[in-house]
Amino acid sequence: MMTENYEWISPFVRQLLAVSGVVMYMIGTGANIAFPGVLLQQLREPASALRLTPDHESWIASILGLALILGIVVAPFSLQKLGRKLTNQLSTLPTLGGWALLAAARGPTALLISRSLQGFGMGIQAAAAPVSIAEYSAPKHRGAFLATIAFSFATGMLIAHVFGTLLYWRSAALACGSVYVLSLILVTLSPETPPFLASKGLTDQCRKSFHWFRGYDPSSEKELEILLNSQKQITGTRRGSRWQAYRQTVRKPEFYKPTLIMMFMFILFQISGMTVVPSYTVPMMEEVSAGTIDANVSMLMVDVVRFVTAVLSCFVVNKLNRRTVLFLGINISVAALLLASLLLYLRDDGCIPDEYKWTPVIPTLVYIFGKTLGILPIPWAIAGEIFPLEYRSLGSGISGMFLSIMFFVVVKTAPFSFEQIGVSGTFCVYGTSVAICGMFLYFLLPETKGKTLYEIECHFKGIKGDIGQTELHEGEKMLELKKVECG
């Protein structure tokens, strides 16, 4: 919903409004991931009327991953045909239904269906969120706005655990689900993204939307002209059947290189324990602390560290290079995981006195800090930047498929892993896996900070994508025309 009299609001505030709609959705996603941590804990109590088996519990925590796959399959077609705005709006409906059904559930089947609905909506949004935020944002703000995805996850996890600690699980479910109502309202207040409108040949609507988000300064005008011209060239070169188009697409370096990078990014994201820890925080921290810290206190300790670090990452990602932040997070996480694993082994062997048996808690919290600082925000930031507009929907869908598959595999196997090799062995496996993914990404991942989406696309094509003086003069001309029109 665009209004004509918006110029008194700064472009940054308008971008922030649009981004906030996606942020509220991702807060809900964080709550979806973390809610089993409190739900299952309450259902294990003797007075609970709803009883679950261990198999039920692992499915309730992990079925989001399977449902994500279906959502991610739908997402590319929705993003391409319906647009970013309508996709964001529609994705709130299954998640709202899922939370409502969860609050009313009377048995394991209803819980599983509710979690599946949440996962389906999350799958659509997993592809739509980074694309939408990147297309809403100016290059100088894009890093910070994309980092809000990490902040949103951390906030949602904290909210779910706080509500689940203070409220009965049905009331907590309604409270967590309410964020999707706010998301729907904020998304509805914002216009469609300019790149999508340009891809559909809607030039006038694209200009109007672009000016709503970015104003009329020369750098924005030249970026707008390049966006429109590049889409005209793409439209003019489209030939042949859909199958031929797909075959040509997968051979292009500007498609397969970003897709390969994002596959490793999302494998790294999941194998670092990003979704396992929120789902199994209480039993994991009971093992790490050897029962010396109350379970709910240790859960909130993890949540607070994650939340504070996520706030910090919004500033760090915008100030430092993407690669710097990512590999800083990887190095901290690997060192902390291996140290925590070593301390747990030594404690189990009786090498650590009883008064110090809580010491593995320290490297565990450092691990939470490291993965939240670099491994949580950077994959989402890169996902919003790295795909060319022509393939953005398809590339996000394919890479998101790896995210959902790894989500299911890692969360479903976590209870078995904890039981068979303990938390110490699981930490060792995660630390080693993170290190291996980090080595691949060290050679594959380019730096994207401060570059326009067009310049990033040109990097993968292997051509020079700098904006030259001709485009600068075009932008200045457009600005002068706007000044004349405004009197």
Side-chain angles (χ1 to χ4, degrees):
M1 183 178 70
M2 284 188 291
T3 60
E4 297 297 332
N5 300 317
Y6 57 78
E7 294 185 10
W8 62 276
I9 305 174
S10 72
F12 173 79
V13 173
R14 287 177 238 144
Q15 292 171 41
L16 182 61
L17 172 68
V19 169
S20 295
V22 182
V23 166
M24 293 307 300
Y25 195 105
M26 302 312 282
I27 288 175
T29 294
N32 290 343
I33 294 170
F35 199 71
V38 289
L39 171 66
L40 300 179
Q41 194 71 11
Q42 288 195 28
L43 294 181
R44 293 187 192 112
E45 294 177 0
S48 174
L50 202 165
R51 311 300 299 178
L52 300 176
T53 66
D55 193 46
H56 284 145
E57 292 185 359
S58 68
W59 274 105
I60 287 170
S62 63
I63 200 169
L64 284 180
L66 287 181
L68 272 167
I69 295 175
L70 182 57
I72 286 173
V73 168
V74 171
F77 302 99
S78 180
L79 287 168
Q80 189 68 27
K81 299 296 183 182
L82 303 180
R84 291 26 166 174
K85 179 176 179 176
L86 188 53
T87 297
N88 286 327
Q89 290 171 316
L90 292 176
S91 68
T92 63
L93 302 182
T95 44
L96 278 170
W99 279 108
L101 179 58
L102 193 151
R106 291 290 183 268
T109 302
L111 289 175
L112 289 170
I113 294 173
S114 71
R115 297 284 289 166
S116 298
L117 287 171
Q118 293 170 354
F120 175 68
M122 284 170 54
I124 298 174
Q125 193 60 209
V131 170
S132 300
I133 291 177
E135 293 183 359
Y136 287 144
S137 310
K140 64 180 178 180
H141 304 312
R142 194 173 64 234
F145 282 150
L146 285 166
T148 59
I149 294 178
F151 165 77
S152 304
F153 281 152
T155 303
M157 292 171 186
L158 177 61
I159 287 173
H161 286 164
V162 169
F163 284 157
T165 301
L166 300 178
L167 303 174
Y168 184 53
W169 63 271
R170 295 187 191 277
S171 301
L174 292 175
C176 291
S178 65
V179 299
Y180 291 106
V181 178
L182 295 175
S183 172
L184 181 58
I185 293 170
L186 290 169
V187 168
T188 302
L189 291 173
S190 304
E192 180 57 86
T193 67
F196 174 77
L197 295 171
S199 71
K200 295 300 181 182
L202 303 172
T203 303
D204 291 340
Q205 293 94 318
C206 175
R207 289 185 185 277
K208 189 175 181 180
S209 174
F210 193 92
H211 291 145
W212 192 93
F213 283 112
R214 306 287 288 279
Y216 293 89
D217 63 274
S219 62
S220 295
E221 290 297 338
K222 67 184 178 184
E223 187 179 343
L224 173 58
E225 294 309 312
I226 288 175
L227 170 63
L228 293 172
N229 289 334
S230 65
Q231 285 309 298
K232 288 177 183 177
Q233 294 172 5
I234 291 171
T235 303
T237 58
R238 286 173 180 161
R239 296 288 187 274
S241 67
R242 186 180 297 273
W243 174 244
Q244 288 175 327
Y246 282 134
R247 289 182 61 189
Q248 292 171 358
T249 295
V250 297
R251 296 174 182 174
K252 293 180 179 179
E254 63 267 32
F255 174 79
Y256 69 75
K257 287 182 180 179
T259 302
L260 182 63
I261 289 170
M262 286 313 306
M263 287 177 182
F264 277 106
M265 279 286 194
F266 284 141
I267 291 172
L268 171 69
F269 182 87
Q270 293 293 358
I271 204 66
S272 67
M274 197 63 68
T275 47
V276 168
V277 172
S279 299
Y280 301 105
T281 302
V282 172
M284 186 192 80
M285 291 305 293
E286 283 180 342
E287 172 69 19
V288 170
S289 67
T292 59
I293 303 174
D294 179 77
N296 288 327
V297 172
S298 63
M299 178 177 67
L300 293 178
M301 285 170 56
V302 170
D303 288 336
V304 169
V305 170
R306 182 164 46 218
F307 177 79
V308 173
T309 309
V311 173
L312 175 64
S313 73
C314 292
F315 299 96
V316 171
V317 170
N318 208 40
K319 294 295 183 183
L320 301 180
N321 290 339
R322 308 282 190 265
R323 285 176 56 91
T324 301
V325 178
L326 176 65
F327 293 112
L328 176 64
I330 288 174
N331 289 333
I332 292 173
S333 299
V334 170
L337 280 168
L338 296 180
L339 178 58
S341 177
L342 176 61
L343 290 174
L344 288 167
Y345 274 122
L346 292 175
R347 189 185 69 191
D348 293 343
D349 285 343
C351 299
I352 296 178
D354 286 347
E355 60 267 29
Y356 297 111
K357 62 183 181 181
W358 55 268
T359 51
V361 172
I362 296 176
T364 300
L365 293 178
V366 173
Y367 148 64
I368 300 297
F369 168 81
K371 74 184 181 71
T372 308
L373 181 69
I375 299 176
L376 176 55
I378 296 300
W380 296 103
I382 297 297
E385 299 174 324
I386 201 168
F387 289 108
L389 176 58
E390 187 180 4
Y391 317 121
R392 199 164 291 160
S393 300
L394 180 62
S396 296
I398 292 175
S399 58
M401 190 71 68
F402 275 78
L403 173 71
S404 58
I405 292 171
M406 290 302 299
F407 183 113
F408 174 74
V409 170
V410 173
V411 176
K412 187 74 173 78
T413 58
F416 177 80
S417 178
F418 290 149
E419 181 181 347
Q420 296 298 315
I421 59 176
V423 174
S424 57
T426 304
F427 278 6
C428 186
V429 170
Y430 287 175
T432 304
S433 301
V434 168
I436 293 171
C437 280
M439 285 188 287
F440 278 103
L441 288 169
Y442 183 83
F443 295 102
L444 292 174
L445 180 65
E447 184 54 60
T448 60
K449 182 180 182 296
K451 296 180 180 180
T452 67
L453 300 179
Y454 175 74
E455 289 169 337
I456 296 169
E457 177 179 345
C458 289
H459 167 82
F460 287 110
K461 288 181 177 178
I463 62 176
K464 186 176 177 59
D466 295 334
I467 299 174
Q469 290 299 313
T470 301
E471 290 84 357
L472 177 59
H473 293 324
E474 288 295 325
E476 290 171 344
K477 288 178 184 177
M478 293 298 296
L479 182 60
E480 290 300 322
L481 286 174
K482 172 63 180 173
K483 289 178 179 178
V484 171
E485 290 172 2
C486 295

